[in-house]
Amino acid sequence: MSAEEASQHLSLCATFANPQRYEAKEAESIKDYIVHDGARGPLVVYGGPGCGKTALVASCAKKVHFWLPDSAPFLIVRFVPVIGEAVTLQRLLSCLCQQVADVYQAPHLSHPADTEDLRECFADALSVSTEERPLVLILDAVDRLRSDGNLQDFQWLPSPIPRFTKVILSVTQDCDLVKSLSPRRVSFLQIKPSRKECNESLKSALAQRNRKITSGQQLFVNRSLGSDPSPLQVLMLFKEVIEWKSHQEVDDRSLGGDTYQIIERFFRKLEVKYGYAVLSRAVSYITLSRSGVGEAELIDLMSADDEVLAQLYRLHANVGTLRVPDWLVASILLDLKSCLSWRTVTGFRLLCWTNELYQKVTYSRYLSSPEVVHTLHVNMCHYFSGRWACGRSKPISVDNKQNEGSDLNAAATGTPAKIYADCQLPSQPWFFTRHSRNQTIEAGNVRKAYELPFHLKECVKLDNLFNDIVLAVPYHKVLIQAGLLHLLFQSMEEAAGSIGREEVYVISDLFKEIGCVLIENPDSMEFVLQSKMAPLVHTYPALLKFVKQTYCEGTKRPLSLNVLCSPLSQAVLAKVRFQETSRVVSVLEMQSKPSLIVVFENGGIWTWGLPNNLTFRYQLPGDAPLERAIAELNGRHLALVTKNHMFAILDCSSWTLVCAIKNMKHGKTQEIELTPKNIHLVSTSLFVCYENSSTVRIYNVRSGAVIDETIFPQVVTFFGCESSARYTILGQTNKILIYDNKGFDLQFDLNVDLLMLPISDVYIQDHLVYIIDKASNIMVWDTEDPTEPRLVDEIYTDEVNNEMMSSEITTRWLLIGRSKTIDVWDVLTWEKISFEPPGGSRFLCCVLSESGEEIIAAVEGGSSIFVWGRESGQCLSVIRQGHGEFTLFAKCPQLGSLIAATANRYLLRWDLKSVVSTTCLSQTGRSVESLLLCPQGIAAFTADGSEIVCKWDIPRNKIRTCFLHNDLVAMMALTATGELLVTSVASGDLFVWVVESGENVQYIRCGPVSRMLVTPNAGVMVCMCEDGLTRVWNPATGNIVCNIRVCLHQAAITPGGTFLIGLDDDKLLAVSLWSGSVCKQLRWDTDPSGSIDAFRCMESHPDFVVVLTSGAELYTWDVVEDTVCHQVRLPIDLSHPRKLLQVSSNGGVVVVTVDKTVNVFNAQDGKLGVFFVPNPILHQRLTDDGKYFLYTCHVKPDGCNCDFHANPVLNVINVRNGEKLGRFPLGKMPSAMMVSEDGRAVCIGFEDGTIGLYSLVDAGEGRTRMEGLFSSFTNKGVRRNVPVGIRLHKQSPDVIWSSCTPETYNSDSG
């Protein structure tokens, strides 16, 4: 809720409380309610249309502060608009909660999850008022609110209302809300002006204009006021009688009957004055606009209207430029002055009607034809999309008979000719750009973003709505920068309802999820959208256009951080919290509609429509709980079975009870009551079988009468209907009978082995019948010859205490879910793959993905979904939700969804494709402790403290190879070319792996290694062992080049690969990598202030080393020339233990981080920049070129618990000027960070075992980098879960290094 929106409604008080309206006596009643009344309920002001309700509450709103002089009341006013957008009750209450919380500084929910949370949030908001700061809430025309949920009949108002809160509502007299309210709960105030009051008001208005009417004229005025005494009637009478002359004779036809007729008469007079086309179009555009129309916009719209232009052309023929004169529109608005009011919307002054009756007359007189309405909406679409702007000529059809210069042939035939005219309309870009000398200023086209989606929807241009609005990032950007997130949410919800595409629901839900981030940091929109949506491109290909735009929009900034590889893959989840306290019995699909039927145990029936509308439909009478429910295949009827054995049939179109069937008794004396065992619906028939009975009955669902009753020789042990509803399957002790549902004729008779347990499921595919019993034994029958079916396969299991839970079959795979295992059978070869639940738990339910490549399951007492790869047998993904334990888990194949109910009264729905998409990204489940990036940038390596090092395919964010070791991996390093990977384990062994093939070429046994270094170009490595000996060796052969017997600390290899630089006590030494001897020692010309604290080598100057002392003095040491140069003394206190020195490759930038303070020294101009970080820095890197400084840290908590606020952000700073270029929320907890050598790729490892790769892109180089990224999106092909390659180490070492005792370097001998 923006402050601008709140101020807009307050400003409307001055407009509606116009002095021309009479001073209502009811204002005293409202004053008494606010000041003295101790009622704890709302005051409902009601009356007929035009009676002055809005004027009354607006006038009282202006006086609230005068009525309460001893306190500081907080006033909230809302006027529900007459025209345009439909305001939802949910949206209004959410805004009110936020506004109250902001003023009273109280906590609030940003986006209440459901109606129950919204009701509680609103009640909490009203309770924050105090005696010193009472709350006065005035809501006008609440009967115009649209409710998507179940907040009807003022149930959203708390009862009683808090003591220091007053709520005033106005409604129309004949609305259903007034009739349903109880006088004990609310106070009523009826607005019913008398004829005398209206007459006095009319006389007063005429007197102010020095006019009055004769007694004869007054007679007809009295008659008119007697039929409809209201302020609006007075206003329209004033407009009529002000033009009367004293000698003018009037009659009943001079005024008309009620207010509606007087308004019609007024419009007819304006038609005569301005012409029908001009007047009708002017009032129609005002009526059809979403939020009102500006005066300049009205001129432009009429200038582009064919009817208006044709009329102008007849007056000014053969003119190349046609445009409605400004004075003409100004004159019309002057005549409509008292009928229109100005309202401020998003900073624009717009015209709208003051009363709903003007709108009704306009619709009746000018907009009764759907074709006209469609044409005007199309015209407004063309205007706000800029179709006829920038000199584009608009074709207009005109009647040539009225113009002398017409084409004679066209005139002879009477057909209209087409002319082309420049209407001089303004352009409509998403952003208006103004260039000044020092900067470029962009302003969003808010009017276009406000109006264009509405008119595209109204004229049913859904393809344009999807492509030009939903998938247009500039549209979202305009609303976000304008602070109109609520409008963005509403627009996406409306578009989703109209278009019905899954991508729209995904975008809508995503913006709601990241709304808190966009409010706080709008500039991070592109980064957050890339992080969340890039992993979904392969699941929803239409999103590729949207994702591309986010990258292109980012390149317009001086620097953008683009997501190359996102770690935030997640399943798209829709959730809703239900009010029912009983458990969910079942969730059923409706084939005719994209919605679900939710059946509760207490008999409540609800429908759940996309995306999260849970609507109450029916309450089954009686106290008997429901036992089961089943829907007919076409979704026409719903059958319910209660525990007292009664059947109820509902019509799913009208949600009415068709019939109720009481359980019939059985036996000769009708004394045995049958217990229903199973039911199913086929067309208009209900099939029922009973427990321990051989009886099967068929009922007519419309009458409840028994159509047929069959008594079989044996007890019916199984009864069901196959998925196509073509066959009914009936099982007995040793027989399976399959009937055709059309005539209930026997089709197949299968003799079943007596060894089989009771049947669980039967599937019919082509001519094969699959029978599965409770113990998961399988029998397959071939029924190609119906007279002689034959048994073709039998599979038996010996397992016990592993009961069957569910099953599913495709053309190739048969899935059998049991409590302790999931079995997937190949029905061609009858090979089995089994999966076990994690941690010894028990499965609740399992299903197959749409492709059959994945198995999806939930466990009892759990709240996570597990996804296994059928081919690899590996657990590919774990989807967690925080809404409670699963009580129901099912698959809805028609909707392609997974459905779950939880113990916390939530209904959850996942798109099945997005659930599978989470397997596209790998996750180890352990925190990434170390991270390496290949020089080519196509692969990365991670270690997490286990025995495994993972090789990642960066473009696909998948683990391709795992290198398995004999102990915990301590560290790892890559050679300069990226061809070899060297790892060290805790026991002291070294392993050399070929990156491409994964072969372990060297296994070296040595002591524990404390550090590994790689030379840039010499192809050798340095291993510093914990025994103090440092070995320089060749990883390709395992041969030692030399041993360094000096124990060095903070060691680093010079860029030239010549020396190993390090500290020995307080001495900085340079040791040759070829001989192992000490070649150089840093010798001071003058005594430094303090000891050496840190040093860094410079990439661009291989012979130089930057040295920092504990006294904050900077030196450079030329190792070859053995010279030392004092550079500067920095005003920095280095006594804090948390400090880090970083130097750019050319030495031009030196960054010294001390705790939360970052000191940037520019060696070129000698300037020192200092900036402070509010929270401890977790990871930091200076790019090699010294342009950017990156660091991660937590943000200041603001009460939001979303992933983006609960986890750190990546900050980028321009080192040159200290400008903060971006703050990018990561959405996960980072555990490692690395920057590539060119400083443009940022790789981050996270605590959950995922990685993310990001690219720093300057404005000039954005396009070329994006082309490669988009090609990687489109060239990944069909997703397939390739098994991860496991590479094993050698069993015996190739080389064993003997340990030696290190020596101590004596500086005197050097």
Side-chain angles (χ1 to χ4, degrees):
M1 172 65 196
S2 63
E4 179 186 4
E5 185 179 356
S7 64
Q8 290 173 8
H9 287 271
L10 288 175
S11 66
L12 287 176
C13 291
T15 302
F16 291 136
N18 197 299
Q20 71 175 350
R21 290 160 171 80
Y22 65 92
E23 191 68 23
K25 62 181 182 300
E26 289 83 0
E28 286 299 320
S29 300
I30 295 179
K31 177 182 178 181
D32 291 340
Y33 170 76
I34 294 176
V35 177
H36 304 297
D37 190 33
R40 301 291 295 275
L43 175 64
V44 178
V45 179
Y46 69 97
C51 68
K53 300 182 296 295
T54 300
L56 174 63
V57 297
S59 176
C60 293
K62 296 176 62 177
K63 301 175 183 177
V64 167
H65 288 81
F66 297 101
W67 291 344
L68 300 172
D70 298 331
S71 59
F74 176 53
L75 174 66
I76 298 180
V77 182
R78 288 292 182 276
F79 296 96
V80 179
V82 174
I83 63 172
E85 59 178 307
V87 180
T88 65
L89 181 58
Q90 287 78 359
R91 152 81 182 135
L92 175 65
L93 295 183
S94 181
C95 293
L96 294 177
C97 293
Q98 182 176 347
Q99 186 178 358
V100 172
D102 291 342
V103 171
Y104 286 92
Q105 297 182 352
H108 68 285
L109 293 173
S110 300
H111 301 291
D114 47 56
T115 56
E116 186 67 23
D117 289 343
L118 185 59
R119 183 188 290 111
E120 294 175 1
C121 180
F122 185 63
D124 293 340
L126 297 186
S127 64
V128 299
S129 58
T130 62
E131 186 175 5
E132 294 75 19
R133 294 204 67 187
L135 173 64
V136 179
L137 175 62
I138 299 178
L139 305 178
D140 178 56
V142 294
D143 50 316
R144 295 195 196 119
L145 292 171
R146 176 170 58 87
S147 177
D148 293 331
N150 299 279
L151 298 178
Q152 308 287 349
D153 302 338
F154 294 110
Q155 294 179 4
W156 44 275
L157 274 175
S159 181
I161 289 177
R163 178 182 176 187
F164 301 109
T165 298
K166 300 296 181 181
V167 179
I168 301 173
L169 313 171
S170 77
V171 296
T172 306
Q173 182 171 353
D174 56 353
C175 78
D176 295 334
L177 291 175
V178 176
K179 302 174 182 177
S180 62
L181 290 175
S182 170
R184 293 178 296 178
R185 188 182 174 195
V186 300
S187 301
F188 289 99
L189 177 62
Q190 184 179 12
I191 308 300
K192 191 175 182 180
S194 64
R195 190 186 71 175
K196 181 179 180 181
E197 292 172 333
C198 294
N199 224 330
E200 293 297 327
S201 178
L202 178 61
K203 290 180 180 179
S204 176
L206 290 172
Q208 292 178 7
R209 301 282 293 272
N210 296 320
R211 299 293 302 275
K212 62 180 181 179
I213 56 179
T214 65
S215 57
Q217 294 170 341
Q218 182 67 49
L219 176 64
F220 294 99
V221 169
N222 291 342
R223 289 181 182 177
S224 180
L225 288 175
S227 63
D228 187 7
S230 66
L232 182 60
Q233 179 82 335
V234 172
L235 172 64
M236 299 311 300
L237 286 174
F238 174 79
K239 285 181 171 293
E240 181 68 27
V241 302
I242 193 66
E243 298 179 359
W244 285 355
K245 306 298 182 182
S246 59
H247 57 79
Q248 181 176 343
E249 293 186 3
V250 296
D251 53 23
D252 291 332
R253 294 173 296 176
S254 301
L255 291 178
D258 54 11
T259 308
Y260 187 95
Q261 294 176 351
I262 297 179
I263 295 175
E264 273 192 318
R265 180 183 178 85
F266 175 63
F267 279 4
R268 282 196 298 268
K269 291 176 62 177
L270 295 182
E271 290 171 14
V272 175
K273 182 176 182 180
Y274 299 107
Y276 179 86
V278 172
L279 191 277
S280 64
R281 288 306 199 243
V283 297
S284 295
Y285 283 125
I286 295 174
T287 302
L288 293 179
S289 61
R290 177 175 190 172
S291 56
V293 63
E295 185 172 353
E297 291 175 347
L298 184 58
I299 296 173
D300 290 335
L301 286 168
M302 295 179 64
S303 298
D305 188 277
D306 290 356
E307 294 293 329
V308 177
L309 290 180
Q311 180 174 324
L312 291 177
Y313 185 77
R314 287 192 288 270
L315 298 175
H316 310 283
N318 301 324
V319 178
T321 299
L322 284 178
R323 185 167 175 83
V324 172
D326 294 0
W327 62 264
L328 178 62
V329 175
S331 178
I332 295 174
L333 297 181
L334 183 63
D335 287 336
L336 294 172
K337 181 178 179 181
S338 56
C339 306
L340 298 171
S341 65
W342 291 98
R343 59 182 297 205
T344 303
V345 180
T346 64
F348 296 89
R349 293 185 73 242
L350 305 177
L351 289 162
C352 61
W353 296 115
T354 58
N355 195 279
E356 192 175 1
L357 275 178
Y358 299 115
Q359 181 183 4
K360 291 181 178 179
V361 173
T362 303
Y363 267 108
S364 174
R365 187 164 183 81
Y366 308 117
L367 300 175
S368 58
S369 169
E371 291 78 12
V372 174
V373 175
H374 180 270
T375 299
L376 296 187
H377 279 300
V378 170
N379 290 347
M380 299 181 86
C381 288
H382 290 168
Y383 171 70
F384 285 106
S385 62
R387 179 171 181 176
W388 307 119
C390 303
R392 296 188 188 94
S393 296
K394 177 180 172 61
I396 307 166
S397 298
V398 296
D399 186 0
N400 286 283
K401 294 182 179 180
Q402 300 183 22
N403 296 281
E404 296 179 357
S406 306
D407 182 16
L408 295 178
N409 293 328
T413 59
T415 58
K418 183 175 290 187
I419 65 170
Y420 294 86
D422 180 9
C423 304
Q424 298 180 330
L425 300 181
S427 61
Q428 296 283 356
W430 284 114
F431 284 92
F432 298 104
T433 305
R434 182 167 62 88
H435 299 279
S436 62
R437 181 173 300 178
N438 299 324
Q439 61 180 347
T440 299
I441 301 175
E442 277 192 344
N445 190 346
V446 180
R447 285 295 296 154
K448 177 178 180 178
Y450 214 98
E451 293 285 341
L452 183 57
F454 173 75
H455 296 294
L456 286 173
K457 179 171 69 71
E458 291 298 316
C459 65
V460 202
K461 290 194 172 187
L462 300 184
D463 288 340
N464 297 88
L465 179 63
F466 180 67
N467 292 292
D468 301 339
I469 300 297
V470 176
L471 297 183
V473 172
Y475 162 73
H476 304 275
K477 193 174 179 180
V478 167
L479 295 180
I480 290 169
Q481 291 185 354
L484 299 173
L485 265 179
H486 67 277
L487 179 61
L488 177 59
F489 298 157
Q490 180 180 340
S491 177
M492 287 296 100
E493 288 181 358
E494 293 174 352
S498 301
I499 300 173
R501 295 187 56 164
E502 293 177 338
E503 293 86 353
V504 189
Y505 292 110
V506 171
I507 296 176
S508 177
D509 291 340
L510 175 59
F511 272 104
K512 290 179 182 178
E513 181 183 351
I514 66 175
C516 56
V517 179
L518 300 179
I519 293 174
E520 181 182 285
N521 185 15
D523 291 338
S524 66
M525 182 192 78
E526 293 89 356
F527 177 83
V528 175
L529 288 176
Q530 292 168 21
S531 299
K532 300 291 286 186
M533 298 191 70
L536 299 174
V537 167
H538 307 292
T539 306
Y540 307 100
L543 293 181
L544 179 60
K545 175 183 177 181
F546 187 85
V547 174
K548 281 185 176 181
Q549 291 180 70
T550 63
Y551 287 94
C552 295
E553 286 293 322
T555 59
K556 298 177 182 179
R557 304 182 187 276
L559 177 79
S560 62
L561 185 68
N562 291 328
V563 180
L564 302 182
C565 174
S566 174
L568 300 183
S569 175
Q570 66 176 19
V572 178
L573 171 65
K575 61 182 179 181
V576 64
R577 193 177 185 189
F578 51 85
Q579 302 175 22
E580 302 283 1
T581 56
S582 64
R583 70 178 182 90
V584 177
V585 172
S586 59
V587 179
L588 307 171
E589 288 185 283
M590 297 180 66
Q591 190 178 43
S592 58
K593 298 179 181 178
S595 58
L596 300 169
I597 303 173
V598 184
V599 181
F600 292 89
E601 190 177 31
N602 65 356
I605 311 297
W606 300 65
T607 55
W608 185 12
L610 294 173
N612 55 1
N613 297 332
L614 192 62
T615 306
F616 175 76
R617 295 300 186 183
Y618 186 78
Q619 178 63 52
L620 190 67
D623 299 329
L626 283 181
E627 192 171 38
R628 66 174 64 91
I630 189 169
E632 190 246 340
L633 183 64
N634 294 324
R636 291 174 295 185
H637 295 98
L638 175 68
L640 308 173
V641 183
T642 65
K643 289 189 176 180
N644 64 356
H645 310 152
M646 185 190 80
F647 304 105
I649 309 298
L650 299 182
D651 185 331
C652 293
S653 58
S654 61
W655 295 108
T656 56
L657 182 66
V658 177
C659 69
I661 306 172
K662 294 184 179 181
N663 188 30
M664 298 176 64
K665 294 184 179 182
H666 179 66
K668 296 181 179 180
T669 58
Q670 302 290 313
E671 72 279 1
I672 303 174
E673 184 171 338
L674 298 176
T675 302
K677 177 182 178 66
N678 204 353
I679 64 171
H680 68 83
L681 276 173
V682 178
S683 186
T684 59
S685 301
L686 174 67
F687 293 73
V688 185
C689 77
Y690 299 91
E691 293 279 359
N692 301 318
S693 174
S694 59
T695 300
V696 173
R697 289 190 180 130
I698 305 176
Y699 294 90
N700 185 298
V701 297
R702 294 170 182 168
S703 64
V706 177
I707 301 174
D708 190 10
E709 177 177 295
T710 304
I711 301 177
F712 293 89
Q714 300 178 13
V715 172
V716 177
T717 58
F718 175 82
F719 186 77
C721 182
E722 54 91 34
S723 58
S724 66
R726 180 180 177 183
Y727 297 108
T728 292
I729 303 155
L730 189 144
Q732 295 179 294
T733 305
N734 59 355
K735 192 180 289 290
I736 294 288
L737 304 176
I738 300 177
Y739 291 86
D740 187 343
N741 284 330
K742 290 184 179 180
F744 204 62
D745 299 325
L746 180 64
Q747 298 293 311
F748 311 110
D749 185 347
L750 310 179
N751 293 316
V752 182
D753 196 331
L754 292 173
L755 296 177
M756 290 196 74
L757 296 176
I759 297 171
S760 176
D761 289 310
V762 177
Y763 296 101
I764 302 175
Q765 289 205 340
D766 295 331
H767 55 84
L768 295 178
V769 179
Y770 299 84
I771 303 171
I772 310 166
D773 69 9
K774 293 291 186 181
S776 303
N777 300 315
I778 305 171
M779 297 180 66
V780 184
W781 289 77
D782 187 340
T783 60
E784 189 171 7
D785 183 358
T787 60
E788 295 184 6
R790 59 190 181 89
L791 181 66
V792 293
D793 279 306
E794 287 183 281
I795 299 100
Y796 291 95
T797 179
D798 297 330
E799 296 184 43
V800 295
N801 299 324
N802 193 8
E803 65 272 16
M804 181 175 167
M805 309 292 294
S806 60
S807 66
E808 184 178 349
I809 195 169
T810 67
T811 56
R812 179 69 184 275
W813 308 103
L814 172 63
L815 177 141
I816 298 177
R818 297 189 283 174
S819 60
K820 296 181 181 179
T821 57
I822 296 175
D823 298 330
V824 181
W825 294 88
D826 186 337
V827 297
L828 300 181
T829 63
W830 289 111
E831 295 179 353
K832 181 178 71 171
I833 306 172
S834 296
F835 305 87
E836 295 183 355
S841 56
R842 295 168 62 90
F843 284 115
L844 175 67
C845 183
C846 61
V847 299
L848 284 171
S849 65
E850 292 179 336
S851 65
E853 295 289 334
E854 294 81 19
I855 292 89
I856 306 167
V859 298
E860 292 181 356
S863 59
S864 299
I865 299 175
F866 300 88
V867 185
W868 284 275
R870 177 187 52 75
E871 184 176 345
S872 66
Q874 298 170 343
C875 183
L876 304 176
S877 176
V878 179
I879 302 171
R880 296 176 174 85
Q881 54 86 18
H883 305 290
E885 299 177 356
F886 292 131
T887 58
L888 180 145
F889 190 82
K891 173 183 175 181
C892 295
Q894 293 179 15
L895 291 179
S897 302
L898 284 178
I899 303 297
T902 71
N904 293 349
R905 296 163 52 200
Y906 275 94
L907 287 172
L908 310 177
R909 174 163 51 189
W910 291 270
D911 184 359
L912 199 55
K913 291 187 294 185
S914 69
V915 170
V916 174
S917 72
T918 61
T919 65
C920 294
L921 306 184
S922 296
Q923 178 177 343
T924 65
R926 295 172 62 95
S927 177
V928 176
E929 295 183 358
S930 55
L931 181 65
L932 295 176
L933 193 62
C934 272
Q936 297 82 4
I938 60 173
F941 297 85
T942 60
D944 53 20
S946 66
E947 300 90 351
I948 297 175
V949 170
C950 298
K951 177 188 175 184
W952 295 72
D953 181 353
I954 286 295
R956 292 169 176 78
N957 204 351
K958 293 286 291 184
I959 296 175
R960 292 306 183 201
T961 309
C962 288
F963 301 94
L964 187 61
H965 299 74
N966 59 358
D967 202 352
L968 303 181
V969 177
M971 61 190 67
M972 59 182 179
L974 274 174
T975 57
T977 59
E979 296 177 356
L980 297 178
L981 171 69
V982 182
T983 57
S984 170
V985 297
S987 61
D989 294 340
L990 290 172
F991 297 88
V992 181
W993 309 80
V994 178
V995 169
E996 185 66 26
S997 64
E999 180 186 1
N1000 179 206
V1001 294
Q1002 298 291 339
Y1003 174 9
I1004 303 172
R1005 178 159 292 169
C1006 67
V1009 177
S1010 60
R1011 193 171 183 194
M1012 290 195 302
L1013 301 173
V1014 182
T1015 57
N1017 50 20
V1020 298
M1021 294 193 66
V1022 175
C1023 285
M1024 307 180 71
C1025 300
E1026 292 183 2
D1027 60 7
L1029 186 65
T1030 300
R1031 295 179 174 87
V1032 183
W1033 60 289
N1034 189 332
T1037 63
N1039 297 331
I1040 295 178
V1041 177
C1042 67
N1043 290 324
I1044 300 175
R1045 303 181 183 280
V1046 181
C1047 186
L1048 299 179
H1049 303 283
Q1050 301 185 30
I1053 297 176
T1054 57
T1058 307
F1059 300 103
L1060 179 68
I1061 308 294
L1063 288 171
D1064 180 20
D1065 293 334
D1066 196 28
K1067 300 183 291 291
L1068 186 61
L1069 307 179
V1071 181
S1072 172
L1073 290 176
W1074 305 109
S1075 64
S1077 60
V1078 177
C1079 299
K1080 302 288 183 179
Q1081 177 186 351
L1082 174 61
R1083 301 181 186 275
W1084 305 102
D1085 295 334
T1086 59
D1087 292 335
S1089 59
S1091 59
I1092 297 176
D1093 194 88
F1095 64 91
R1096 291 291 182 272
C1097 300
M1098 289 188 288
E1099 189 74 27
S1100 301
H1101 304 284
D1103 299 334
F1104 285 84
V1105 179
V1106 177
V1107 182
L1108 176 67
T1109 68
S1110 58
E1113 290 185 311
L1114 277 178
Y1115 293 85
T1116 54
W1117 176 32
D1118 187 338
V1119 180
V1120 176
E1121 300 295 334
D1122 200 12
T1123 58
V1124 180
C1125 180
H1126 180 266
Q1127 298 293 335
V1128 69
R1129 181 170 184 173
L1130 303 175
I1132 302 173
D1133 182 11
L1134 297 179
S1135 61
H1136 197 281
R1138 291 174 54 88
K1139 53 183 177 290
L1140 180 66
L1141 170 67
Q1142 299 180 81
V1143 182
S1144 62
S1145 60
N1146 62 0
V1149 176
V1150 178
V1151 175
V1152 182
T1153 306
V1154 183
D1155 193 24
K1156 302 178 184 178
T1157 305
V1158 180
N1159 306 273
V1160 181
F1161 175 66
N1162 192 326
Q1164 296 177 353
D1165 55 17
K1167 294 182 179 180
L1168 177 67
V1170 181
F1171 61 90
F1172 301 94
V1173 180
N1175 295 299
I1177 295 177
L1178 303 177
H1179 308 90
Q1180 55 181 305
R1181 289 291 185 275
L1182 175 69
T1183 57
D1184 284 350
D1185 57 10
K1187 292 181 64 175
Y1188 306 113
F1189 178 72
L1190 300 87
Y1191 67 94
T1192 62
C1193 70
H1194 282 282
V1195 295
K1196 183 179 180 181
D1198 64 345
C1200 180
N1201 295 321
C1202 74
D1203 290 339
F1204 289 111
H1205 279 97
N1207 292 292
V1209 298
L1210 175 63
N1211 301 270
V1212 182
I1213 294 177
N1214 188 331
V1215 173
R1216 187 169 301 173
N1217 55 21
E1219 179 187 0
K1220 292 186 177 181
L1221 298 176
R1223 185 161 57 94
F1224 307 100
L1226 296 174
K1228 288 185 177 182
M1229 176 60 69
S1231 56
M1233 184 171 78
M1234 183 180 181
V1235 179
S1236 63
E1237 293 181 359
D1238 63 358
R1240 292 299 179 266
V1242 183
C1243 192
I1244 299 179
F1246 296 91
E1247 288 189 351
D1248 64 350
T1250 57
I1251 65 171
L1253 187 66
Y1254 311 93
S1255 174
L1256 287 169
V1257 181
D1258 292 324
E1261 60 185 7
R1263 294 293 178 183
T1264 57
R1265 285 179 175 265
M1266 289 307 100
E1267 291 175 0
L1269 176 66
F1270 297 153
S1271 65
S1272 70
F1273 275 145
T1274 54
N1275 292 335
K1276 288 183 182 179
V1278 179
R1279 174 200 57 78
R1280 184 170 178 81
N1281 292 310
V1282 179
V1284 177
I1286 305 296
R1287 301 293 180 259
L1288 303 177
H1289 63 85
K1290 290 184 175 182
Q1291 296 302 315
S1292 57
D1294 299 299
V1295 181
I1296 299 177
W1297 290 345
S1298 60
S1299 61
C1300 299
T1301 304
E1303 298 177 355
T1304 303
Y1305 173 68
N1306 188 349
S1307 61
D1308 296 335
S1309 64

